[in-house]
């Protein structure tokens, strides 16, 4: 996680693949990437960032001929820690992996789960992406400055929704925004949802004053005019989107999220290496490169042991930031 302010967290990536043992010619059998019966778990509901990345990656891997048919399944709950507990319980299963990201790191802290990412086998970090601040098309707020003025006046009356549990990216981003705006984080009325899919309905129905989520999750709704994009949380504007950064809006903070893949503990070296090889080949495929552009994801590939070291650093950063924010 890179810090641009004393509290800003940055990072990026994820994916999810799952599959029955169906093989076709050119399905990775000669490349060392074929894993018959491979299963990938998404630890939140359909429509969220983990889910979109997983299904995109599955499709890309199939099209690139890296392995056979891939299935994606969802096991939501407790900010991803239900899935994490299941994954750790499947010790030695080299045909199971889980998509995850900064949200799971935070949920481990806030839910005080006995299972942590230190219990998993790191496979790879894949992507980084900015969060976005959005409202419904019928919202009274047409600019981020209007939203901030109302939020400062009475933060408790403006509920903000996010697609992650406390400690996750969609929670940390508005907390850092609040702090930069002179609002005490403890006064923020944050409403957590189990993924961007659940959050979307509440934004569209004006059940929350504004929502914070990953840029790739709501591109279609923004382009269709169903959502109004007020700001992006990274260092630079997102190409193709007409919205200022938080710094341009006068807030001295910036933030990005990351996503990656982990597997159960107790894998053999060969099982781990094959999973890393599959994701490495996916990362280099033209199909995946095109998907990065389509979804506005930033390439942040970090395989194996390097990703493991990154997870250790992120765990410490989240703990520090939550304490500094008084959360």
């Amino acid at each position: 996680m890179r810090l641009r302010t004393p509290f800003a967290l940055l990072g990026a990536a994820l994916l999810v693949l799952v599959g029955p043992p169906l093989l076709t010619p050119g399905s990775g059998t000669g490349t060392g990437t074929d894993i018959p019966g491979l299963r990938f778990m998404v630890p939140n509901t359909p429509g969220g960032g983990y889910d979109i990345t997983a299904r995109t990656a599955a499709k890309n891997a199939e099209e690139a001929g890296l392995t056979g048919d891939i299935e994606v399944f969802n096991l939501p709950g407790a900010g991803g820690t239900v899935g994490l507990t299941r994954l750790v319980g499947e010790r030695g299963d080299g045909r199971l992996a889980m998509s995850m990201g900064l949200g799971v790191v935070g949920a481990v802290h806030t839910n005080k789960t006995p299972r942590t990412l230190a219990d998993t086998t790191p496979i790879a970090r894949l992507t980084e992406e900015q969060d976005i601040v959005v409202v419904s098309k019928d919202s009274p707020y047409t600019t981020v400055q209007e939203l901030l003025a109302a939020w400062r006046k009475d933060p408790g009356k403006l509920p903000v929704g996010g697609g992650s549990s406390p400690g996750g990216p969609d929670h940390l981003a508005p907390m850092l925004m609040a702090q930069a705006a002179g609002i005490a984080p403890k006064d923020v009325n944050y409403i957590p949802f189990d993924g961007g899919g659940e959050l979307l309905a509440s934004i569209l129905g004006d059940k929350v004053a504004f929502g914070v989520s990953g840029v790739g999750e709501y591109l279609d709704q923004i382009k269709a005019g169903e959502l109004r994009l007020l700001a992006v949380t990274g260092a630079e504007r997102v190409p193709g989107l007409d919205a200022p950064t938080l710094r341009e809006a006068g807030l001295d903070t910036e933030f990005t999220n990351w996503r990656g893949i982990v597997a159960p503990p107790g894998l053999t070296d060969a099982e781990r290496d094959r999973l890393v090889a599959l994701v490495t080949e996916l990362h280099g495929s033209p199909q995946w490169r095109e998907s990065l552009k389509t979804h506005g994801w930033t390439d942040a590939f970090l395989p194996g042991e390097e990703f493991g070291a990154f997870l250790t650093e992120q765990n410490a950063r989240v703990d520090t930031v939550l304490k500094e924010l008084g959360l």
Side-chain angles (χ1 to χ4, degrees), residues 162-304:
S164 59
S165 296
D170 298 349
H171 171 251
L172 291 174
M175 293 301 166
L176 292 166
M177 285 175 57
Q179 184 183 61
I183 300 168
K186 64 181 179 61
D187 292 336
V188 175
N189 182 9
Y190 178 77
I191 301 177
F193 294 84
D194 202 352
E198 288 191 355
L199 170 62
L200 178 61
S202 287
I203 300 173
L204 293 174
D206 292 314
K207 304 297 184 183
V208 294
F210 66 102
V212 177
S213 192
V215 63
E217 296 179 57
Y218 295 156
L219 280 177
D220 289 344
Q221 289 79 12
I222 292 169
K223 292 177 180 178
E226 297 174 358
L227 292 178
R228 182 182 300 148
L229 176 60
L230 300 186
V232 298
T233 66
E236 299 178 352
R237 292 192 177 206
V238 175
L241 296 180
D242 183 19
T245 66
L246 293 178
R247 287 195 186 282
E248 289 178 299
L251 300 182
D252 187 20
T253 191
E254 59 189 58
F255 177 91
T256 57
N257 183 24
W258 58 266
R259 298 193 180 103
I261 307 168
V262 293
L267 302 191
T268 65
D269 289 348
E271 289 171 329
R272 179 200 62 209
D273 292 348
R274 182 155 291 200
L275 281 167
V276 172
L278 172 60
V279 179
T280 300
E281 290 296 319
L282 172 67
H283 167 255
S285 70
Q287 291 87 352
W288 179 250
R289 311 308 292 184
E290 183 61 29
S291 291
L292 291 175
K293 296 178 183 178
T294 300
H295 293 284
W297 297 330
T298 299
D299 181 22
F301 187 66
L302 201 64

Side-chain angles (χ1 to χ4, degrees), residues 132-166:
I132 52 177
V133 180
V134 293
V135 295
S136 75
K137 64 180 181 181
D138 298 320
S139 169
Y141 309 114
T142 60
T143 68
V144 68
Q145 285 83 3
E146 291 177 354
L147 173 64
L148 289 172
W151 202 22
R152 287 187 178 105
K153 185 176 180 180
D154 196 344
K157 286 190 176 180
L158 268 72
V160 50
S164 59
S165 296

